[in-house]
Amino acid sequence: MSQFNFTTLGQFIIEKQSEFPFAKGELSRLLRDIGIAAKVISREVNKAGIAEIIGDVGEINIQGEDVKKLDLIGNEMFTTVLERGGEVCAFASEEEDNMVALKGTHSKNGQYVVCIDPLDGSSNIDVNVSIGTIFSIYRRVTSVGTEPTLEDVLQAGNRLVASGYIIYGSSTMLVYSTGKGVNGFTLDNSIGEFCLSHPNIQTPKDGTIYSLNEGNASDFPEGVQKYISWCKEKDKETQRPYSARYIGSMVADLHRNLLKGGIFIYPPTAKAPNGKLRLMFECIPMAFIVEQAGGIATTGKERVLDIQPKELHQRVPVFIGSANMVNKALSFS
Ligand code: AHG
Ligand code: MN
Ligand code: MN
């Protein structure tokens, strides 16, 4: 392969722009801006140890958890980039109690709304384990030029325009979908560009990996407990026992399972009766990606993308991943 034979994220976005004739380039600019924010966060993540910016800032976020410095850096980076870009009227973040109406000169005319989990897997920051960023994009429902409202943000996943994630792992990758398949880009630090490395990602229908926090097993619903026992049984035909893999960063756990085939479960527990993961910031965007790659995402009762969100920080249980594995898991309930 010629050393110039690659497609950058910017080139790819422009090539795909014709698939959205109604968007007049705004969505392309927004995706490009997200790519820029991702590069800056990636740089900050990589230098975290050196710059001594690892650690708590002593604040507690809306979820009652410690906020790490990188969470704040990611949050600020997105606010700045989206405010400057002018395509977005409002954004919501796991790190903000309320929706933020952006204050850029052109923000009120922005047609889009963005939801983010700026730093996913924050408990792994200090220990140099893969973390991520999750984003989703909706078209606003209120009129362009007016103040955005909560109605613009609280939209069901089946109305998503695009979603994606960035994984800061052994390399940094950006994976996204605009509803026409899933594509993955790897950051080439030598040229400072995300380059198409995983075109048209399809997740295997079957897999041999199950991912959940088994430490909570005694609190899991009976159906989940039975499914875990089934995963551990010996059976040549179905390649059991399966492998248990759990990082504790949803992005990293799902990225691995997306490529290799697997199931990720965050069920209800006694401590977290609705599960732990956030509908708007984690479950909807990741469900969109997984479905676009041919997988399934459900709460155990309904398709994640069909839930009408009631509040920004709503949590839901989630069973997500390879289609046959999710269906099998549900058959125990
Ligand atoms: P965040 O760092 O954004 O708060 O998300 C952490 C989430 C998710 O990434 C992960 O899958 C889950 O918390 C892990 O939870 P447990 O430690 O309860 O297993
Ligand atoms: Mn998260
Ligand atoms: Mn987070």
Side-chain angles (χ1 to χ4, degrees), residues 24 49 77 100 130 200 227 257:
K24 298 199 197 79
M77 187 49 53
V100 178
S130 296
N200 193 21
Y227 176 64
N257 289 5

Side-chain angles (χ1 to χ4, degrees), residues 62-65 272 274-279 283 311 313-317:
I62 180 86
Q63 321 286 349
E65 303 149 332
N274 295 318
K276 178 186 177 191
L277 300 176
R278 299 83 168 168
L279 176 63
C283 297
E311 52 186 25
H313 296 277
Q314 188 172 339
R315 295 168 193 258
V316 291

Side-chain angles (χ1 to χ4, degrees), residues 138-169:
Y138 295 88
R139 200 164 288 112
R140 72 185 294 178
V141 292
T142 53
S143 307
V144 169
T146 62
E147 264 305 306
T149 70
L150 201 53
E151 200 195 341
D152 291 313
V153 178
L154 292 181
Q155 298 193 53
N158 52 32
R159 298 171 63 101
L160 265 185
V161 171
S163 80
Y165 61 83
I166 299 113
I167 176 166
Y168 313 101

Side-chain angles (χ1 to χ4, degrees), residues 86-100:
E87 325 299 341
V88 175
C89 61
F91 98 113
S93 160
E94 186 196 276
E95 299 301 335
E96 305 271 359
D97 296 5
N98 302 307
M99 178 199 94
V100 178

Side-chain angles (χ1 to χ4, degrees), residues 241-292:
Y242 290 162
S243 289
R245 292 283 184 274
Y246 190 73
I247 295 169
S249 297
M250 186 194 199
V251 166
D253 276 309
L254 278 184
H255 179 71
R256 179 202 53 237
N257 289 5
L258 187 74
L259 298 184
K260 293 196 163 181
I263 183 170
F264 175 95
I265 306 175
Y266 209 109
T269 61
K271 205 170 107 192
N274 295 318
K276 178 186 177 191
L277 300 176
R278 299 83 168 168
L279 176 63
M280 302 287 317
F281 306 117
E282 296 170 321
C283 297
I284 288 179
M286 298 309 277
F288 188 71
I289 295 288
V290 167
E291 280 200 7
Q292 281 292 317

Side-chain angles (χ1 to χ4, degrees), residues 65-82:
E65 303 149 332
D66 291 339
V67 176
K68 310 276 180 174
K69 284 178 184 176
L70 280 170
D71 299 59
L72 288 186
I73 291 171
N75 202 48
E76 279 167 21
M77 187 49 53
F78 267 91
T79 317
T80 310
V81 163
L82 299 179

